[in-house]
Amino acid sequence: MSAELNPAWIRETKQLFVDLTSKNDETRAEAYKRLCQFIQFDLPEASAEAVNAYVERWNGKIVELINSGDVNDKRGAVLAIVALLDIEHRDLAAAISRYDSNLRVLFRSLDVSLAETLAIAFSLVASRAPPGFLSQDLVSKHIDRCAENVYHQEVGRRLFSVHLMREFAKKCPTVVYQSIETVFGILFSGLRDSKQAVREAAASGFRACLRITADREVTRKGARSRELPSYYQKMFSTIIEAHEDSEATKKNRLSKEDFVHGSLLLLNELLVASNADAERVRQAVLRASAQTPQPMTTTSLLGRSVGVPLDRLGIGSAAVVSVGGSSASAISAAASSGVASVVGAASSAAVGLLGSAVGLSIDDRDDASGTVPVESVCCRNMFAEVKNYQTIGNKVFRHCSARCGPQKFSEFYLNQTMQFLLDAVRRDKQKSLTLQAIGLVALVVKDEFVPYLNSVMPVVRQMLPNRDAPP
Protein backbone atom coordinates (compact mmCIF):
# COMPACT_ATOMS: atom_id res chain seq x y z
CA MET A 1 0.00 0.00 0.00
CA SER A 2 2.92 2.35 0.60
CA ALA A 3 3.68 2.26 -3.16
CA GLU A 4 0.51 4.24 -3.74
CA LEU A 5 1.77 7.07 -1.57
CA ASN A 6 3.78 10.05 -2.67
CA PRO A 7 7.43 9.51 -1.56
CA ALA A 8 7.37 12.96 0.09
CA TRP A 9 4.41 11.79 2.16
CA ILE A 10 6.32 8.74 3.34
CA ARG A 11 9.32 10.83 4.41
CA GLU A 12 7.12 13.32 6.23
CA THR A 13 5.14 10.56 7.93
CA LYS A 14 8.30 8.89 9.24
CA GLN A 15 9.46 12.19 10.70
CA LEU A 16 6.05 12.82 12.26
CA PHE A 17 6.22 9.39 13.91
CA VAL A 18 9.46 10.49 15.57
CA ASP A 19 8.38 14.02 16.53
CA LEU A 20 4.98 13.05 17.93
CA THR A 21 6.68 10.73 20.42
CA SER A 22 9.33 13.25 21.45
CA LYS A 23 9.94 13.98 25.12
CA ASN A 24 9.89 17.68 24.27
CA ASP A 25 6.44 19.30 24.50
CA GLU A 26 7.14 21.91 21.84
CA THR A 27 8.38 19.28 19.37
CA ARG A 28 5.17 17.29 19.86
CA ALA A 29 3.09 20.43 19.45
CA GLU A 30 4.81 21.35 16.20
CA ALA A 31 4.43 17.80 14.85
CA TYR A 32 0.73 17.79 15.73
CA LYS A 33 0.33 21.11 13.96
CA ARG A 34 2.05 19.79 10.82
CA LEU A 35 -0.10 16.66 10.79
CA CYS A 36 -3.31 18.70 11.14
CA GLN A 37 -2.22 21.04 8.36
CA PHE A 38 -1.46 18.12 6.08
CA ILE A 39 -4.86 16.55 6.75
CA GLN A 40 -6.62 19.86 6.22
CA PHE A 41 -4.90 21.08 3.05
CA ASP A 42 -2.96 18.31 1.27
CA LEU A 43 -4.82 15.08 1.87
CA PRO A 44 -8.20 16.20 0.40
CA GLU A 45 -6.54 16.60 -3.01
CA ALA A 46 -5.40 12.97 -3.08
CA SER A 47 -7.30 9.99 -4.50
CA ALA A 48 -9.47 7.81 -2.25
CA GLU A 49 -6.94 4.96 -2.60
CA ALA A 50 -4.07 7.19 -1.50
CA VAL A 51 -6.05 8.47 1.48
CA ASN A 52 -6.91 4.94 2.56
CA ALA A 53 -3.28 3.89 2.24
CA TYR A 54 -2.18 6.88 4.32
CA VAL A 55 -4.73 6.13 7.03
CA GLU A 56 -3.76 2.47 7.19
CA ARG A 57 -0.10 3.43 7.52
CA TRP A 58 -0.97 5.58 10.53
CA ASN A 59 -3.30 2.97 12.03
CA GLY A 60 -0.52 0.39 12.02
CA LYS A 61 1.85 2.82 13.71
CA ILE A 62 -0.76 3.80 16.30
CA VAL A 63 -1.17 0.16 17.37
CA GLU A 64 2.60 -0.12 17.71
CA LEU A 65 2.84 3.05 19.82
CA ILE A 66 -0.07 2.10 22.06
CA ASN A 67 1.57 -1.21 22.95
CA SER A 68 4.90 0.46 23.68
CA GLY A 69 6.13 0.72 27.25
CA ASP A 70 7.19 4.34 26.76
CA VAL A 71 4.63 6.89 27.97
CA ASN A 72 5.79 9.36 25.30
CA ASP A 73 4.91 6.83 22.59
CA LYS A 74 1.44 6.55 24.09
CA ARG A 75 1.05 10.35 24.06
CA GLY A 76 2.06 10.39 20.41
CA ALA A 77 -0.55 7.73 19.62
CA VAL A 78 -3.28 9.78 21.29
CA LEU A 79 -2.31 12.90 19.33
CA ALA A 80 -2.32 10.93 16.08
CA ILE A 81 -5.78 9.48 16.77
CA VAL A 82 -7.27 12.92 17.45
CA ALA A 83 -5.70 14.38 14.30
CA LEU A 84 -6.97 11.51 12.12
CA LEU A 85 -10.54 12.18 13.26
CA ASP A 86 -10.67 15.03 10.75
CA ILE A 87 -10.04 12.83 7.72
CA GLU A 88 -13.18 12.38 5.65
CA HIS A 89 -13.67 8.66 6.14
CA ARG A 90 -16.03 6.71 3.93
CA ASP A 91 -17.10 4.75 6.98
CA LEU A 92 -16.86 7.14 9.92
CA ALA A 93 -18.60 4.72 12.27
CA ALA A 94 -15.93 2.06 11.65
CA ALA A 95 -13.15 4.61 12.22
CA ILE A 96 -14.71 5.80 15.47
CA SER A 97 -15.03 2.23 16.74
CA ARG A 98 -11.40 1.54 15.83
CA TYR A 99 -10.07 4.61 17.64
CA ASP A 100 -12.25 4.00 20.68
CA SER A 101 -10.87 0.45 20.89
CA ASN A 102 -7.31 1.76 20.55
CA LEU A 103 -7.81 4.17 23.42
CA ARG A 104 -9.32 1.47 25.61
CA VAL A 105 -6.08 -0.49 25.27
CA LEU A 106 -4.28 2.45 26.90
CA PHE A 107 -6.81 2.42 29.72
CA ARG A 108 -5.83 -1.10 30.78
CA SER A 109 -2.46 0.05 32.13
CA LEU A 110 -3.18 3.71 32.72
CA ASP A 111 -0.34 5.99 33.73
CA VAL A 112 -1.50 8.79 36.04
CA SER A 113 0.16 11.38 33.80
CA LEU A 114 -1.98 10.19 30.89
CA ALA A 115 -5.33 10.22 32.70
CA GLU A 116 -6.52 13.67 31.63
CA THR A 117 -5.06 13.42 28.13
CA LEU A 118 -6.82 10.12 27.57
CA ALA A 119 -10.12 11.49 28.90
CA ILE A 120 -10.02 14.38 26.44
CA ALA A 121 -9.25 12.01 23.57
CA PHE A 122 -12.13 9.68 24.49
CA SER A 123 -14.54 12.61 24.57
CA LEU A 124 -13.34 13.90 21.19
CA VAL A 125 -13.80 10.47 19.60
CA ALA A 126 -17.32 10.17 21.05
CA SER A 127 -18.27 13.70 19.97
CA ARG A 128 -17.24 12.98 16.38
CA ALA A 129 -19.33 9.81 16.20
CA PRO A 130 -22.40 9.98 13.94
CA PRO A 131 -25.42 11.43 15.80
CA GLY A 132 -27.81 8.94 17.25
CA PHE A 133 -27.19 5.46 18.52
CA LEU A 134 -23.39 5.24 18.14
CA SER A 135 -22.56 8.49 19.92
CA GLN A 136 -25.07 7.89 22.71
CA ASP A 137 -24.01 4.28 23.10
CA LEU A 138 -20.32 5.19 23.37
CA VAL A 139 -20.90 7.86 26.00
CA SER A 140 -23.33 5.73 28.02
CA LYS A 141 -20.94 2.77 28.11
CA HIS A 142 -18.06 4.94 29.27
CA ILE A 143 -20.19 6.54 31.99
CA ASP A 144 -21.13 3.08 33.27
CA ARG A 145 -17.45 2.04 33.31
CA CYS A 146 -16.48 5.22 35.17
CA ALA A 147 -19.17 4.56 37.79
CA GLU A 148 -17.19 1.42 38.66
CA ASN A 149 -13.66 2.72 38.15
CA VAL A 150 -14.12 5.78 40.35
CA TYR A 151 -13.79 3.36 43.29
CA HIS A 152 -10.81 1.49 41.82
CA GLN A 153 -7.67 1.15 43.92
CA GLU A 154 -5.52 2.57 41.08
CA VAL A 155 -5.51 6.36 41.32
CA GLY A 156 -5.05 6.67 37.55
CA ARG A 157 -8.45 5.08 36.91
CA ARG A 158 -10.17 7.26 39.48
CA LEU A 159 -8.57 10.39 38.06
CA PHE A 160 -9.50 9.37 34.51
CA SER A 161 -13.12 8.77 35.52
CA VAL A 162 -13.72 12.29 36.85
CA HIS A 163 -11.79 13.92 34.01
CA LEU A 164 -13.92 12.04 31.48
CA MET A 165 -17.16 13.27 33.09
CA ARG A 166 -15.97 16.85 32.66
CA GLU A 167 -14.98 16.32 29.04
CA PHE A 168 -18.23 14.52 28.17
CA ALA A 169 -20.17 17.38 29.77
CA LYS A 170 -18.37 19.83 27.49
CA LYS A 171 -18.61 17.88 24.25
CA CYS A 172 -21.67 15.62 24.64
CA PRO A 173 -23.97 17.62 26.97
CA THR A 174 -27.26 16.16 25.76
CA VAL A 175 -26.22 12.56 26.41
CA VAL A 176 -24.66 13.48 29.76
CA TYR A 177 -27.85 15.18 30.91
CA GLN A 178 -29.76 11.97 30.27
CA SER A 179 -27.49 10.28 32.84
CA ILE A 180 -26.92 13.30 35.06
CA GLU A 181 -27.65 11.50 38.35
CA THR A 182 -25.02 8.86 37.55
CA VAL A 183 -22.52 11.51 36.44
CA PHE A 184 -23.01 13.52 39.62
CA GLY A 185 -22.57 10.33 41.63
CA ILE A 186 -19.18 9.76 39.99
CA LEU A 187 -18.16 13.36 40.71
CA PHE A 188 -19.31 13.16 44.34
CA SER A 189 -17.12 10.09 44.79
CA GLY A 190 -14.19 11.95 43.23
CA LEU A 191 -14.78 14.91 45.53
CA ARG A 192 -14.28 12.61 48.53
CA ASP A 193 -11.16 10.97 47.17
CA SER A 194 -8.01 10.88 49.28
CA LYS A 195 -5.93 12.31 46.40
CA GLN A 196 -6.03 16.08 45.93
CA ALA A 197 -5.70 15.80 42.13
CA VAL A 198 -8.86 13.67 41.94
CA ARG A 199 -10.81 16.11 44.12
CA GLU A 200 -9.78 19.06 41.98
CA ALA A 201 -10.65 17.23 38.78
CA ALA A 202 -14.06 16.37 40.24
CA ALA A 203 -14.65 20.05 41.02
CA SER A 204 -13.93 21.04 37.42
CA GLY A 205 -16.33 18.27 36.38
CA PHE A 206 -19.05 19.81 38.55
CA ARG A 207 -18.46 23.15 36.83
CA ALA A 208 -19.02 21.68 33.39
CA CYS A 209 -22.09 19.74 34.52
CA LEU A 210 -23.63 22.72 36.32
CA ARG A 211 -23.56 24.56 33.01
CA ILE A 212 -25.67 21.77 31.54
CA THR A 213 -28.20 21.68 34.36
CA ALA A 214 -28.47 25.48 34.47
CA ASP A 215 -29.37 25.54 30.78
CA ARG A 216 -32.16 23.04 31.41
CA GLU A 217 -33.80 24.55 34.48
CA VAL A 218 -36.91 25.26 32.42
CA THR A 219 -40.43 23.94 32.89
CA ARG A 220 -42.69 22.82 30.05
CA LYS A 221 -44.39 26.20 30.15
CA GLY A 222 -41.07 27.91 29.46
CA ALA A 223 -40.64 29.45 32.92
CA ARG A 224 -37.51 28.99 34.95
CA SER A 225 -37.94 26.32 37.60
CA ARG A 226 -37.58 27.45 41.20
CA GLU A 227 -37.59 23.95 42.64
CA LEU A 228 -34.30 22.70 43.99
CA PRO A 229 -33.34 19.41 42.28
CA SER A 230 -32.11 16.59 44.45
CA TYR A 231 -28.50 16.89 43.28
CA TYR A 232 -28.37 20.56 44.34
CA GLN A 233 -29.69 19.58 47.74
CA LYS A 234 -27.03 16.88 48.01
CA MET A 235 -24.30 19.39 47.08
CA PHE A 236 -25.49 21.77 49.77
CA SER A 237 -25.66 19.05 52.43
CA THR A 238 -22.18 17.80 51.44
CA ILE A 239 -20.72 21.24 52.08
CA ILE A 240 -22.32 21.50 55.50
CA GLU A 241 -21.51 17.90 56.44
CA ALA A 242 -17.78 18.47 56.04
CA HIS A 243 -17.79 21.22 58.67
CA GLU A 244 -19.87 19.43 61.29
CA ASP A 245 -18.61 17.10 63.97
CA SER A 246 -19.90 13.88 62.49
CA GLU A 247 -18.78 10.44 61.42
CA ALA A 248 -18.69 11.56 57.77
CA THR A 249 -14.92 11.69 57.54
CA LYS A 250 -14.50 8.24 59.05
CA LYS A 251 -17.15 6.82 56.76
CA ASN A 252 -15.31 8.19 53.72
CA ARG A 253 -11.89 7.26 55.08
CA LEU A 254 -10.66 10.81 54.69
CA SER A 255 -8.78 13.16 56.92
CA LYS A 256 -10.76 16.15 58.14
CA GLU A 257 -8.55 18.40 56.07
CA ASP A 258 -9.22 16.49 52.82
CA PHE A 259 -12.96 16.37 53.47
CA VAL A 260 -13.12 20.12 54.12
CA HIS A 261 -11.01 20.79 51.04
CA GLY A 262 -13.44 18.84 48.85
CA SER A 263 -16.42 20.71 50.30
CA LEU A 264 -14.77 24.07 49.62
CA LEU A 265 -14.11 23.08 46.03
CA LEU A 266 -17.79 22.23 45.64
CA LEU A 267 -18.89 25.43 47.36
CA ASN A 268 -16.83 27.41 44.87
CA GLU A 269 -18.54 25.72 41.92
CA LEU A 270 -22.00 26.44 43.32
CA LEU A 271 -21.04 30.07 43.85
CA VAL A 272 -19.76 30.33 40.28
CA ALA A 273 -23.08 28.98 39.03
CA SER A 274 -25.10 31.33 41.24
CA ASN A 275 -23.88 34.66 39.83
CA ALA A 276 -22.91 34.86 36.16
CA ASP A 277 -22.43 38.63 36.14
CA ALA A 278 -19.91 38.55 38.98
CA GLU A 279 -18.15 35.64 37.27
CA ARG A 280 -17.66 37.67 34.09
CA VAL A 281 -16.10 40.46 36.12
CA ARG A 282 -13.71 38.07 37.80
CA GLN A 283 -12.68 36.48 34.52
CA ALA A 284 -11.83 39.92 33.15
CA VAL A 285 -9.76 40.74 36.24
CA LEU A 286 -7.85 37.48 36.11
CA ARG A 287 -7.13 37.81 32.39
CA ALA A 288 -5.76 41.29 33.01
CA SER A 289 -3.50 39.99 35.78
CA ALA A 290 -2.24 36.91 33.92
CA GLN A 291 1.32 37.53 32.78
CA THR A 292 3.21 34.24 32.45
CA PRO A 293 2.05 31.82 29.71
CA GLN A 294 2.24 28.14 30.63
CA PRO A 295 4.16 25.71 28.38
CA MET A 296 2.29 23.73 25.74
CA THR A 297 1.57 20.13 26.70
CA THR A 298 -0.19 17.17 25.13
CA THR A 299 -3.17 17.81 27.40
CA SER A 300 -3.45 21.46 26.42
CA LEU A 301 -3.15 20.50 22.75
CA LEU A 302 -6.06 18.10 23.00
CA GLY A 303 -7.98 20.53 25.17
CA ARG A 304 -8.12 22.88 22.21
CA SER A 305 -9.11 20.14 19.76
CA VAL A 306 -12.84 20.60 19.34
CA GLY A 307 -13.24 19.01 15.93
CA VAL A 308 -12.51 22.17 13.92
CA PRO A 309 -9.19 21.80 12.09
CA LEU A 310 -8.68 25.52 11.51
CA ASP A 311 -8.73 26.06 15.28
CA ARG A 312 -5.72 23.81 15.58
CA LEU A 313 -3.44 25.51 13.12
CA GLY A 314 -2.25 28.11 15.63
CA ILE A 315 -1.50 25.75 18.45
CA GLY A 316 2.25 25.85 17.92
CA SER A 317 2.46 29.47 19.00
CA ALA A 318 -0.70 29.86 21.08
CA ALA A 319 -0.18 30.82 24.69
CA VAL A 320 -1.92 28.75 27.29
CA VAL A 321 -3.36 31.16 29.85
CA SER A 322 -3.76 29.68 33.30
CA VAL A 323 -4.19 31.52 36.55
CA GLY A 324 -2.83 29.79 39.62
CA GLY A 325 -1.46 26.80 37.71
CA SER A 326 -4.48 24.55 38.21
CA SER A 327 -7.40 23.66 36.04
CA ALA A 328 -9.91 23.12 38.79
CA SER A 329 -10.42 26.63 40.11
CA ALA A 330 -8.85 29.44 42.05
CA ILE A 331 -9.36 27.24 45.08
CA SER A 332 -7.15 24.58 43.55
CA ALA A 333 -4.51 27.20 42.88
CA ALA A 334 -4.60 28.27 46.49
CA ALA A 335 -4.44 24.69 47.70
CA SER A 336 -1.49 23.92 45.45
CA SER A 337 0.52 26.99 46.39
CA GLY A 338 0.07 26.50 50.12
CA VAL A 339 -1.26 29.94 51.01
CA ALA A 340 -2.34 30.29 54.65
CA SER A 341 -1.21 26.94 55.95
CA VAL A 342 -3.47 26.77 58.97
CA VAL A 343 -4.93 23.43 57.98
CA GLY A 344 -3.02 22.76 54.78
CA ALA A 345 -5.06 22.33 51.62
CA ALA A 346 -8.36 23.23 53.28
CA SER A 347 -7.07 26.56 54.57
CA SER A 348 -5.36 27.23 51.24
CA ALA A 349 -8.66 26.59 49.51
CA ALA A 350 -10.24 29.08 51.89
CA VAL A 351 -7.97 31.86 50.69
CA GLY A 352 -8.62 30.93 47.07
CA LEU A 353 -12.36 30.95 47.68
CA LEU A 354 -12.24 34.31 49.39
CA GLY A 355 -10.17 35.68 46.56
CA SER A 356 -12.61 34.29 44.06
CA ALA A 357 -15.29 36.59 45.39
CA VAL A 358 -16.23 36.77 41.79
CA GLY A 359 -14.98 32.75 40.59
CA LEU A 360 -13.52 30.74 37.73
CA SER A 361 -9.93 30.04 36.79
CA ILE A 362 -8.94 30.76 33.23
CA ASP A 363 -7.89 27.57 31.58
CA ASP A 364 -7.34 26.73 27.93
CA ARG A 365 -9.52 23.62 28.22
CA ASP A 366 -12.45 25.74 29.38
CA ASP A 367 -11.69 28.32 26.71
CA ALA A 368 -11.96 25.60 24.06
CA SER A 369 -15.58 24.97 24.95
CA GLY A 370 -16.44 28.50 25.95
CA THR A 371 -16.04 30.19 29.34
CA VAL A 372 -19.22 32.22 29.15
CA PRO A 373 -20.76 31.65 32.58
CA VAL A 374 -24.20 30.06 32.70
CA GLU A 375 -26.21 31.11 35.72
CA SER A 376 -28.31 28.61 37.64
CA VAL A 377 -31.51 30.14 39.01
CA CYS A 378 -31.75 27.28 41.50
CA CYS A 379 -28.26 27.98 42.84
CA ARG A 380 -28.92 31.70 43.02
CA ASN A 381 -32.17 31.19 44.92
CA MET A 382 -30.48 28.71 47.24
CA PHE A 383 -27.86 31.25 48.32
CA ALA A 384 -30.38 34.10 48.36
CA GLU A 385 -32.25 32.48 51.24
CA VAL A 386 -30.96 34.04 54.45
CA LYS A 387 -31.25 30.71 56.26
CA ASN A 388 -29.01 28.91 53.75
CA TYR A 389 -26.60 31.83 53.57
CA GLN A 390 -26.15 31.97 57.32
CA THR A 391 -25.93 28.18 57.57
CA ILE A 392 -22.92 28.18 55.27
CA GLY A 393 -21.57 31.34 56.84
CA ASN A 394 -21.76 29.98 60.38
CA LYS A 395 -20.01 26.76 59.37
CA VAL A 396 -17.34 28.23 57.11
CA PHE A 397 -17.47 32.02 57.61
CA ARG A 398 -13.83 32.40 56.58
CA HIS A 399 -14.50 30.53 53.37
CA CYS A 400 -17.74 32.32 52.52
CA SER A 401 -17.66 34.34 49.31
CA ALA A 402 -19.03 37.82 48.81
CA ARG A 403 -20.15 36.67 45.41
CA CYS A 404 -23.37 35.13 46.74
CA GLY A 405 -24.65 38.44 48.12
CA PRO A 406 -22.39 41.46 48.72
CA GLN A 407 -24.78 43.20 51.10
CA LYS A 408 -25.37 40.20 53.35
CA PHE A 409 -21.70 39.28 53.15
CA SER A 410 -20.63 42.77 54.25
CA GLU A 411 -23.13 42.72 57.09
CA PHE A 412 -22.32 39.28 58.49
CA TYR A 413 -18.78 38.26 57.46
CA LEU A 414 -16.71 41.05 55.90
CA ASN A 415 -14.91 41.97 59.12
CA GLN A 416 -13.97 38.37 59.95
CA THR A 417 -12.93 37.76 56.36
CA MET A 418 -10.64 40.78 56.23
CA GLN A 419 -9.04 39.87 59.55
CA PHE A 420 -8.34 36.42 58.17
CA LEU A 421 -6.86 37.75 54.92
CA LEU A 422 -4.79 40.46 56.58
CA ASP A 423 -3.36 37.90 58.97
CA ALA A 424 -2.56 35.59 56.04
CA VAL A 425 -0.87 38.28 53.95
CA ARG A 426 1.38 39.26 56.85
CA ARG A 427 2.31 35.68 57.68
CA ASP A 428 2.68 33.86 54.38
CA LYS A 429 5.76 33.87 52.21
CA GLN A 430 3.68 33.82 49.03
CA LYS A 431 1.56 36.93 49.30
CA SER A 432 0.42 37.50 45.71
CA LEU A 433 -2.63 35.23 45.80
CA THR A 434 -3.81 36.63 49.13
CA LEU A 435 -3.42 40.21 47.86
CA GLN A 436 -5.41 39.27 44.79
CA ALA A 437 -8.08 37.86 47.10
CA ILE A 438 -8.22 41.15 49.00
CA GLY A 439 -8.51 43.08 45.74
CA LEU A 440 -11.36 40.91 44.49
CA VAL A 441 -13.24 41.26 47.78
CA ALA A 442 -12.85 45.05 47.48
CA LEU A 443 -14.16 44.87 43.92
CA VAL A 444 -17.36 43.22 45.13
CA VAL A 445 -18.13 45.03 48.39
CA LYS A 446 -17.12 48.45 47.00
CA ASP A 447 -17.59 51.26 49.58
CA GLU A 448 -17.76 48.80 52.46
CA PHE A 449 -14.05 48.14 51.92
CA VAL A 450 -12.97 51.74 52.74
CA PRO A 451 -12.40 51.14 56.50
CA TYR A 452 -9.81 48.47 55.66
CA LEU A 453 -7.64 50.58 53.34
CA ASN A 454 -5.43 51.81 56.16
CA SER A 455 -4.59 48.21 57.02
CA VAL A 456 -4.02 47.04 53.46
CA MET A 457 -1.93 49.88 52.05
CA PRO A 458 1.09 49.42 54.38
CA VAL A 459 1.35 45.80 53.24
CA VAL A 460 1.25 46.89 49.61
CA ARG A 461 3.89 49.58 50.18
CA GLN A 462 6.14 47.06 51.91
CA MET A 463 6.04 44.80 48.83
CA LEU A 464 6.90 47.59 46.38
CA PRO A 465 10.57 48.02 45.39
CA ASN A 466 12.47 50.58 47.45
CA ARG A 467 13.57 53.29 45.05
CA ASP A 468 15.75 54.96 47.70
CA ALA A 469 17.86 51.85 48.15
CA PRO A 470 21.29 51.88 46.46
CA PRO A 471 21.50 49.93 43.16
Side-chain angles (χ1 to χ4, degrees), residues 460-471:
V460 176
R461 292 192 194 99
Q462 186 179 8
M463 295 183 66
L464 293 174
N466 187 358
R467 294 184 178 181
D468 296 330

Side-chain angles (χ1 to χ4, degrees), residues 93-408:
I96 292 297
S97 296
R98 176 199 290 265
Y99 297 142
D100 185 72
S101 297
N102 288 339
L103 293 173
R104 276 192 277 123
V105 173
L106 287 176
F107 179 71
R108 294 171 190 167
S109 56
L110 183 58
D111 188 283
V112 173
S113 65
L114 272 179
E116 185 174 9
T117 299
L118 191 60
I120 296 173
F122 265 117
S123 68
L124 288 168
V125 170
S127 67
R128 294 302 304 277
F133 174 75
L134 180 58
S135 177
Q136 183 172 352
D137 187 51
L138 276 178
V139 175
S140 298
K141 285 182 178 179
H142 285 306
I143 290 176
D144 290 340
R145 292 190 187 102
C146 288
E148 298 176 3
N149 283 297
V150 76
Y151 298 103
H152 201 277
Q153 62 180 0
E154 292 181 9
V155 64
R157 293 200 179 194
R158 305 200 304 272
L159 186 60
F160 167 82
S161 297
V162 291
H163 276 311
L164 187 58
M165 294 305 99
R166 181 195 65 211
E167 297 305 321
F168 275 162
K170 291 180 180 180
K171 299 177 180 68
C172 309
T174 302
V175 182
V176 167
Y177 187 70
Q178 294 171 1
S179 305
I180 195 64
E181 294 285 354
T182 303
V183 171
F184 274 130
I186 294 169
L187 295 176
F188 273 119
S189 298
L191 204 66
R192 293 172 176 174
D193 197 276
S194 60
K195 298 296 183 181
Q196 181 175 326
V198 179
R199 297 196 298 271
E200 293 176 352
S204 64
F206 272 112
R207 174 164 301 173
C209 289
L210 285 171
R211 291 178 185 174
I212 298 175
T213 57
D215 274 337
R216 291 162 174 79
E217 291 174 2
V218 180
T219 64
R220 291 183 179 180
K221 296 181 180 179
R224 285 282 182 179
S225 173
R226 290 185 174 274
E227 296 182 3
L228 197 64
S230 60
Y231 42 81
Y232 286 130
Q233 293 174 338
K234 184 175 181 181
M235 291 178 196
F236 188 84
S237 62
T238 297
I239 294 168
I240 301 304
E241 182 184 39
H243 298 274
E244 292 180 336
D245 294 328
S246 66
E247 296 297 316
T249 54
K250 294 181 181 178
K251 182 177 67 177
N252 291 280
R253 297 181 181 180
L254 287 180
S255 66
K256 182 69 174 180
E257 176 184 334
D258 290 344
F259 201 28
V260 170
H261 178 237
S263 77
L264 292 177
L265 291 171
L266 181 57
L267 175 58
N268 185 70
E269 301 312 324
L270 290 175
L271 291 170
V272 169
S274 69
N275 195 331
D277 290 337
E279 176 59 25
R280 293 187 188 97
V281 173
R282 181 174 185 269
Q283 286 187 36
V285 172
L286 291 182
R287 285 194 179 96
S289 64
Q291 296 179 352
T292 306
Q294 299 297 312
M296 184 64 66
T297 64
T298 301
T299 300
S300 61
L301 282 176
L302 295 185
R304 291 165 178 256
S305 300
V306 289
V308 183
L310 292 177
D311 286 350
R312 300 181 187 167
L313 300 185
I315 58 177
S317 59
V320 179
V321 181
S322 178
V323 174
S326 176
S327 63
S329 63
I331 290 179
S332 308
S336 299
S337 60
V339 179
S341 55
V342 177
V343 284
S347 182
S348 303
V351 175
L353 186 54
L354 287 164
S356 75
V358 263
L360 173 74
S361 69
I362 301 172
D363 181 80
D364 66 303
R365 284 157 289 175
D366 282 338
D367 288 343
S369 61
T371 56
V372 178
V374 177
E375 186 170 298
S376 165
V377 173
C378 289
C379 284
R380 190 175 185 87
N381 291 341
M382 181 173 67
F383 285 112
E385 294 183 17
V386 175
K387 179 181 178 181
N388 287 339
Y389 188 93
Q390 289 188 308
T391 298
I392 288 182
N394 291 336
K395 298 294 181 185
V396 284
F397 69 87
R398 291 178 175 177
H399 316 147
C400 193
S401 173
R403 177 176 12 162
C404 57
Q407 292 180 343
K408 288 196 290 288

Side-chain angles (χ1 to χ4, degrees), residues 19-30 72 296 298:
D19 292 347
L20 279 176
T21 58
S22 170
K23 295 180 180 179
N24 184 275
D25 290 331
E26 291 300 328
T27 301
R28 286 202 306 272
E30 186 59 33
N72 292 304
M296 184 64 66
T298 301

Side-chain angles (χ1 to χ4, degrees), residues 10 12-22 31 34 57-58 60-62 65 73 76:
I10 297 176
E12 176 65 9
T13 302
K14 288 181 178 179
Q15 188 58 48
L16 286 173
F17 287 161
V18 175
D19 292 347
L20 279 176
T21 58
S22 170
R34 296 203 315 269
R57 188 179 185 87
W58 270 105
K61 187 62 177 179
I62 286 171
L65 295 176
D73 288 349

